[in-house]
Amino acid sequence: MNMSSSPAVSSPLTAIPADIRNAQDYAALAPHFMPPSHYAYIAGGSGYGQSVAANVAAFEQWAIYPRLLRDVSHGHTRITLAGDDYAHPLLLAPVAFHKLAHANGEVDTARAADATETCMIASTQSSYPLEQTVARRGWFQLYLLPRREDTLHLLRRAEAAGYRAIVLTMDAPIQVANRRALAAQFQLPADCVNVNLRGYDLTPRFAGDGPGESRFFQGAMRGAPSWDDIRWIMDATRLPVWVKGVLHPDDAVALRDAGVSGIAVSNHGGRSLDGAPSGLDVLAAIRAAVGAQFPVLYDGGILSGSDAFKALALGADAVAIGRLQLYALSVAGALGVAHMLKLLREELEICMAMAGCATIGDIDSGTLLRQLRR
């Protein structure tokens, strides 16, 4: 396929074109394979998109040192995370409504995860039931529901389905409008619904509509997750409990001390507070605060193996891929996602080999040089 062409909306491919040579090529192709409003919703972020742009720009300030005469003939990308062994440190981040990108949605994404030995973190906001989207050794991302009994029922479903860890997302009690999606007049299609939450009471516990009350301070934020909620979830399950959405070192330390299994440094893909820093800009400080042994994931703006390398060098134990998985899904379904992950892994291996790093454990801040953003 000629990547310079501009089809209106192309059908998903059944074979990978020869001119898709890099994982990032899927980002360039995606607008041709989904309706413009769907693409606007997926690519956009909260407000004016400052944090979305920051996620990508943050990688530009780092260069990777090539090293000479290093023996990497024994090299590999294997890691251990949450007690499980994985072939590589590339995870699939929880992203809502994969059906916006492809009719088979999360089912195809999970197939690709299994084919590439990738840990997929399935989203609560899935367009297919969680029982159908569990990848081998996959994790489940959990949003707290207004009623604890509903949250507990959802948790038990995830346990019964075979998910290996729970990822609590804490950074989005308020969702700021996606101006890009609004401008494109985006609406969820009738066949794209959050099937995991059918039958649960989703009525907010607090409205903030009393005299003199704010619908944010006395409304949404009164129902926001609390430390008590985290303790309750950890008591309610034997699975490892991670917390996603950490950007401040003090929060990271408090979560470590509270006993969570690990954290994910993330600004929610730029879909929470617009103007929040990129997770990459705070990753090293968070790693220094929690110490070398505490598990830390990173997600936000990763489009290449070199991006993944930089996040690992700044302190992440593994990295999660967000929008890029939907871009690849839109182009070629499960085949596209699997191919994108294969390319990412190969790009990471090239960076490691050229930087003299035979294993993931060899990647550290000494492999990077800070440079001014262009």
Side-chain angles (χ1 to χ4, degrees), residues 226-246:
S226 67
W227 286 105
D228 188 50
D229 289 323
I230 293 176
R231 288 188 288 269
W232 174 72
I233 287 290
M234 289 194 296
D235 288 342
T237 184
R238 294 183 179 180
L239 294 179
V241 174
W242 293 61
V243 171
K244 183 175 184 291
V246 182

PDB file of all heavy atoms in Angstrom, residues 226-246:
ATOM      1  N   SER A 226     -10.379   6.910  47.115  1.00  0.00           N
ATOM      2  CA  SER A 226      -9.744   7.324  48.367  1.00  0.00           C
ATOM      3  C   SER A 226      -8.745   6.261  48.814  1.00  0.00           C
ATOM      4  O   SER A 226      -8.703   5.146  48.289  1.00  0.00           O
ATOM      5  CB  SER A 226     -10.807   7.513  49.458  1.00  0.00           C
ATOM      6  OG  SER A 226     -11.397   6.254  49.786  1.00  0.00           O
ATOM      7  N   TRP A 227      -7.952   6.621  49.830  1.00  0.00           N
ATOM      8  CA  TRP A 227      -7.028   5.646  50.409  1.00  0.00           C
ATOM      9  C   TRP A 227      -7.790   4.460  50.987  1.00  0.00           C
ATOM     10  O   TRP A 227      -7.326   3.308  50.907  1.00  0.00           O
ATOM     11  CB  TRP A 227      -6.181   6.305  51.500  1.00  0.00           C
ATOM     12  CG  TRP A 227      -5.135   7.206  50.930  1.00  0.00           C
ATOM     13  CD1 TRP A 227      -5.141   8.559  50.904  1.00  0.00           C
ATOM     14  CD2 TRP A 227      -3.921   6.801  50.287  1.00  0.00           C
ATOM     15  NE1 TRP A 227      -4.008   9.030  50.278  1.00  0.00           N
ATOM     16  CE2 TRP A 227      -3.238   7.976  49.890  1.00  0.00           C
ATOM     17  CE3 TRP A 227      -3.346   5.568  49.996  1.00  0.00           C
ATOM     18  CZ2 TRP A 227      -2.020   7.944  49.232  1.00  0.00           C
ATOM     19  CZ3 TRP A 227      -2.124   5.530  49.336  1.00  0.00           C
ATOM     20  CH2 TRP A 227      -1.481   6.708  48.963  1.00  0.00           C
ATOM     21  N   ASP A 228      -8.961   4.714  51.526  1.00  0.00           N
ATOM     22  CA  ASP A 228      -9.779   3.626  52.062  1.00  0.00           C
ATOM     23  C   ASP A 228     -10.190   2.661  50.956  1.00  0.00           C
ATOM     24  O   ASP A 228     -10.229   1.445  51.163  1.00  0.00           O
ATOM     25  CB  ASP A 228     -11.011   4.199  52.760  1.00  0.00           C
ATOM     26  CG  ASP A 228     -11.797   3.127  53.509  1.00  0.00           C
ATOM     27  OD1 ASP A 228     -11.186   2.368  54.283  1.00  0.00           O
ATOM     28  OD2 ASP A 228     -13.028   3.044  53.304  1.00  0.00           O
ATOM     29  N   ASP A 229     -10.476   3.205  49.777  1.00  0.00           N
ATOM     30  CA  ASP A 229     -10.829   2.351  48.641  1.00  0.00           C
ATOM     31  C   ASP A 229      -9.661   1.446  48.247  1.00  0.00           C
ATOM     32  O   ASP A 229      -9.856   0.262  47.939  1.00  0.00           O
ATOM     33  CB  ASP A 229     -11.230   3.209  47.443  1.00  0.00           C
ATOM     34  CG  ASP A 229     -12.564   3.910  47.625  1.00  0.00           C
ATOM     35  OD1 ASP A 229     -13.468   3.304  48.228  1.00  0.00           O
ATOM     36  OD2 ASP A 229     -12.694   5.062  47.180  1.00  0.00           O
ATOM     37  N   ILE A 230      -8.462   1.997  48.229  1.00  0.00           N
ATOM     38  CA  ILE A 230      -7.288   1.196  47.869  1.00  0.00           C
ATOM     39  C   ILE A 230      -7.080   0.061  48.868  1.00  0.00           C
ATOM     40  O   ILE A 230      -6.849  -1.093  48.489  1.00  0.00           O
ATOM     41  CB  ILE A 230      -6.034   2.079  47.781  1.00  0.00           C
ATOM     42  CG1 ILE A 230      -6.143   3.050  46.596  1.00  0.00           C
ATOM     43  CG2 ILE A 230      -4.767   1.220  47.638  1.00  0.00           C
ATOM     44  CD1 ILE A 230      -4.999   4.014  46.491  1.00  0.00           C
ATOM     45  N   ARG A 231      -7.181   0.386  50.163  1.00  0.00           N
ATOM     46  CA  ARG A 231      -7.021  -0.653  51.187  1.00  0.00           C
ATOM     47  C   ARG A 231      -8.099  -1.720  51.050  1.00  0.00           C
ATOM     48  O   ARG A 231      -7.827  -2.920  51.213  1.00  0.00           O
ATOM     49  CB  ARG A 231      -7.043  -0.009  52.578  1.00  0.00           C
ATOM     50  CG  ARG A 231      -5.784   0.791  52.914  1.00  0.00           C
ATOM     51  CD  ARG A 231      -5.783   1.248  54.365  1.00  0.00           C
ATOM     52  NE  ARG A 231      -6.749   2.318  54.585  1.00  0.00           N
ATOM     53  CZ  ARG A 231      -6.469   3.614  54.484  1.00  0.00           C
ATOM     54  NH1 ARG A 231      -5.244   4.001  54.159  1.00  0.00           N
ATOM     55  NH2 ARG A 231      -7.390   4.530  54.708  1.00  0.00           N
ATOM     56  N   TRP A 232      -9.327  -1.284  50.745  1.00  0.00           N
ATOM     57  CA  TRP A 232     -10.434  -2.231  50.590  1.00  0.00           C
ATOM     58  C   TRP A 232     -10.189  -3.183  49.422  1.00  0.00           C
ATOM     59  O   TRP A 232     -10.398  -4.396  49.552  1.00  0.00           O
ATOM     60  CB  TRP A 232     -11.734  -1.446  50.395  1.00  0.00           C
ATOM     61  CG  TRP A 232     -12.903  -2.322  50.075  1.00  0.00           C
ATOM     62  CD1 TRP A 232     -13.562  -3.168  50.924  1.00  0.00           C
ATOM     63  CD2 TRP A 232     -13.541  -2.459  48.792  1.00  0.00           C
ATOM     64  NE1 TRP A 232     -14.573  -3.817  50.244  1.00  0.00           N
ATOM     65  CE2 TRP A 232     -14.584  -3.399  48.950  1.00  0.00           C
ATOM     66  CE3 TRP A 232     -13.327  -1.864  47.550  1.00  0.00           C
ATOM     67  CZ2 TRP A 232     -15.414  -3.767  47.884  1.00  0.00           C
ATOM     68  CZ3 TRP A 232     -14.157  -2.232  46.498  1.00  0.00           C
ATOM     69  CH2 TRP A 232     -15.180  -3.171  46.671  1.00  0.00           C
ATOM     70  N   ILE A 233      -9.734  -2.647  48.299  1.00  0.00           N
ATOM     71  CA  ILE A 233      -9.458  -3.500  47.137  1.00  0.00           C
ATOM     72  C   ILE A 233      -8.338  -4.488  47.450  1.00  0.00           C
ATOM     73  O   ILE A 233      -8.426  -5.681  47.109  1.00  0.00           O
ATOM     74  CB  ILE A 233      -9.078  -2.644  45.909  1.00  0.00           C
ATOM     75  CG1 ILE A 233     -10.309  -1.931  45.343  1.00  0.00           C
ATOM     76  CG2 ILE A 233      -8.414  -3.488  44.824  1.00  0.00           C
ATOM     77  CD1 ILE A 233     -11.302  -2.852  44.669  1.00  0.00           C
ATOM     78  N   MET A 234      -7.272  -4.028  48.087  1.00  0.00           N
ATOM     79  CA  MET A 234      -6.164  -4.936  48.405  1.00  0.00           C
ATOM     80  C   MET A 234      -6.615  -6.044  49.351  1.00  0.00           C
ATOM     81  O   MET A 234      -6.149  -7.187  49.249  1.00  0.00           O
ATOM     82  CB  MET A 234      -4.992  -4.150  48.995  1.00  0.00           C
ATOM     83  CG  MET A 234      -4.286  -3.274  47.981  1.00  0.00           C
ATOM     84  SD  MET A 234      -2.681  -2.644  48.546  1.00  0.00           S
ATOM     85  CE  MET A 234      -3.187  -1.622  49.926  1.00  0.00           C
ATOM     86  N   ASP A 235      -7.538  -5.736  50.272  1.00  0.00           N
ATOM     87  CA  ASP A 235      -8.064  -6.751  51.180  1.00  0.00           C
ATOM     88  C   ASP A 235      -9.014  -7.705  50.467  1.00  0.00           C
ATOM     89  O   ASP A 235      -9.191  -8.856  50.902  1.00  0.00           O
ATOM     90  CB  ASP A 235      -8.794  -6.092  52.350  1.00  0.00           C
ATOM     91  CG  ASP A 235      -7.851  -5.415  53.339  1.00  0.00           C
ATOM     92  OD1 ASP A 235      -6.648  -5.744  53.316  1.00  0.00           O
ATOM     93  OD2 ASP A 235      -8.315  -4.556  54.099  1.00  0.00           O
ATOM     94  N   ALA A 236      -9.618  -7.224  49.366  1.00  0.00           N
ATOM     95  CA  ALA A 236     -10.660  -7.997  48.698  1.00  0.00           C
ATOM     96  C   ALA A 236     -10.121  -9.006  47.692  1.00  0.00           C
ATOM     97  O   ALA A 236     -10.867  -9.877  47.235  1.00  0.00           O
ATOM     98  CB  ALA A 236     -11.638  -7.056  47.998  1.00  0.00           C
ATOM     99  N   THR A 237      -8.850  -8.915  47.342  1.00  0.00           N
ATOM    100  CA  THR A 237      -8.297  -9.811  46.324  1.00  0.00           C
ATOM    101  C   THR A 237      -6.906 -10.290  46.702  1.00  0.00           C
ATOM    102  O   THR A 237      -6.167  -9.594  47.406  1.00  0.00           O
ATOM    103  CB  THR A 237      -8.246  -9.100  44.952  1.00  0.00           C
ATOM    104  OG1 THR A 237      -7.784 -10.036  43.963  1.00  0.00           O
ATOM    105  CG2 THR A 237      -7.322  -7.888  44.974  1.00  0.00           C
ATOM    106  N   ARG A 238      -6.566 -11.475  46.214  1.00  0.00           N
ATOM    107  CA  ARG A 238      -5.203 -11.988  46.381  1.00  0.00           C
ATOM    108  C   ARG A 238      -4.313 -11.623  45.200  1.00  0.00           C
ATOM    109  O   ARG A 238      -3.105 -11.900  45.228  1.00  0.00           O
ATOM    110  CB  ARG A 238      -5.244 -13.509  46.544  1.00  0.00           C
ATOM    111  CG  ARG A 238      -5.921 -13.976  47.835  1.00  0.00           C
ATOM    112  CD  ARG A 238      -5.855 -15.480  47.976  1.00  0.00           C
ATOM    113  NE  ARG A 238      -6.465 -15.939  49.220  1.00  0.00           N
ATOM    114  CZ  ARG A 238      -6.546 -17.217  49.601  1.00  0.00           C
ATOM    115  NH1 ARG A 238      -6.026 -18.161  48.805  1.00  0.00           N
ATOM    116  NH2 ARG A 238      -7.114 -17.551  50.732  1.00  0.00           N
ATOM    117  N   LEU A 239      -4.895 -11.018  44.173  1.00  0.00           N
ATOM    118  CA  LEU A 239      -4.104 -10.625  43.016  1.00  0.00           C
ATOM    119  C   LEU A 239      -3.253  -9.400  43.345  1.00  0.00           C
ATOM    120  O   LEU A 239      -3.627  -8.594  44.199  1.00  0.00           O
ATOM    121  CB  LEU A 239      -5.032 -10.291  41.839  1.00  0.00           C
ATOM    122  CG  LEU A 239      -5.850 -11.438  41.257  1.00  0.00           C
ATOM    123  CD1 LEU A 239      -6.733 -10.923  40.121  1.00  0.00           C
ATOM    124  CD2 LEU A 239      -4.949 -12.566  40.759  1.00  0.00           C
ATOM    125  N   PRO A 240      -2.123  -9.236  42.663  1.00  0.00           N
ATOM    126  CA  PRO A 240      -1.349  -8.003  42.825  1.00  0.00           C
ATOM    127  C   PRO A 240      -2.203  -6.799  42.417  1.00  0.00           C
ATOM    128  O   PRO A 240      -2.928  -6.848  41.422  1.00  0.00           O
ATOM    129  CB  PRO A 240      -0.172  -8.195  41.857  1.00  0.00           C
ATOM    130  CG  PRO A 240      -0.104  -9.666  41.604  1.00  0.00           C
ATOM    131  CD  PRO A 240      -1.497 -10.179  41.715  1.00  0.00           C
ATOM    132  N   VAL A 241      -2.117  -5.733  43.201  1.00  0.00           N
ATOM    133  CA  VAL A 241      -2.875  -4.512  42.915  1.00  0.00           C
ATOM    134  C   VAL A 241      -1.897  -3.390  42.583  1.00  0.00           C
ATOM    135  O   VAL A 241      -1.064  -3.013  43.412  1.00  0.00           O
ATOM    136  CB  VAL A 241      -3.772  -4.105  44.102  1.00  0.00           C
ATOM    137  CG1 VAL A 241      -4.442  -2.760  43.831  1.00  0.00           C
ATOM    138  CG2 VAL A 241      -4.823  -5.177  44.368  1.00  0.00           C
ATOM    139  N   TRP A 242      -1.993  -2.881  41.363  1.00  0.00           N
ATOM    140  CA  TRP A 242      -1.190  -1.761  40.907  1.00  0.00           C
ATOM    141  C   TRP A 242      -2.066  -0.514  40.853  1.00  0.00           C
ATOM    142  O   TRP A 242      -3.281  -0.610  40.717  1.00  0.00           O
ATOM    143  CB  TRP A 242      -0.633  -2.036  39.511  1.00  0.00           C
ATOM    144  CG  TRP A 242       0.380  -3.141  39.438  1.00  0.00           C
ATOM    145  CD1 TRP A 242       0.203  -4.461  39.763  1.00  0.00           C
ATOM    146  CD2 TRP A 242       1.737  -3.031  39.006  1.00  0.00           C
ATOM    147  NE1 TRP A 242       1.362  -5.168  39.565  1.00  0.00           N
ATOM    148  CE2 TRP A 242       2.316  -4.321  39.092  1.00  0.00           C
ATOM    149  CE3 TRP A 242       2.507  -1.970  38.540  1.00  0.00           C
ATOM    150  CZ2 TRP A 242       3.635  -4.571  38.742  1.00  0.00           C
ATOM    151  CZ3 TRP A 242       3.825  -2.211  38.179  1.00  0.00           C
ATOM    152  CH2 TRP A 242       4.383  -3.498  38.290  1.00  0.00           C
ATOM    153  N   VAL A 243      -1.441   0.636  40.930  1.00  0.00           N
ATOM    154  CA  VAL A 243      -2.160   1.903  40.805  1.00  0.00           C
ATOM    155  C   VAL A 243      -1.602   2.666  39.616  1.00  0.00           C
ATOM    156  O   VAL A 243      -0.386   2.893  39.522  1.00  0.00           O
ATOM    157  CB  VAL A 243      -2.074   2.741  42.089  1.00  0.00           C
ATOM    158  CG1 VAL A 243      -2.644   4.146  41.860  1.00  0.00           C
ATOM    159  CG2 VAL A 243      -2.846   2.053  43.220  1.00  0.00           C
ATOM    160  N   LYS A 244      -2.481   3.083  38.721  1.00  0.00           N
ATOM    161  CA  LYS A 244      -2.107   3.764  37.495  1.00  0.00           C
ATOM    162  C   LYS A 244      -2.507   5.237  37.566  1.00  0.00           C
ATOM    163  O   LYS A 244      -3.580   5.574  38.058  1.00  0.00           O
ATOM    164  CB  LYS A 244      -2.801   3.106  36.297  1.00  0.00           C
ATOM    165  CG  LYS A 244      -2.434   3.679  34.940  1.00  0.00           C
ATOM    166  CD  LYS A 244      -3.104   2.865  33.830  1.00  0.00           C
ATOM    167  CE  LYS A 244      -2.688   3.361  32.462  1.00  0.00           C
ATOM    168  NZ  LYS A 244      -3.235   4.703  32.159  1.00  0.00           N
ATOM    169  N   GLY A 245      -1.618   6.094  37.051  1.00  0.00           N
ATOM    170  CA  GLY A 245      -1.913   7.518  37.001  1.00  0.00           C
ATOM    171  C   GLY A 245      -1.060   8.339  37.947  1.00  0.00           C
ATOM    172  O   GLY A 245      -1.447   9.441  38.331  1.00  0.00           O
ATOM    173  N   VAL A 246       0.115   7.834  38.307  1.00  0.00           N
ATOM    174  CA  VAL A 246       0.984   8.508  39.274  1.00  0.00           C
ATOM    175  C   VAL A 246       1.911   9.476  38.539  1.00  0.00           C
ATOM    176  O   VAL A 246       2.561   9.106  37.555  1.00  0.00           O
ATOM    177  CB  VAL A 246       1.824   7.479  40.056  1.00  0.00           C
ATOM    178  CG1 VAL A 246       2.700   8.177  41.091  1.00  0.00           C
ATOM    179  CG2 VAL A 246       0.918   6.451  40.720  1.00  0.00           C
TER     180      VAL A 246
END
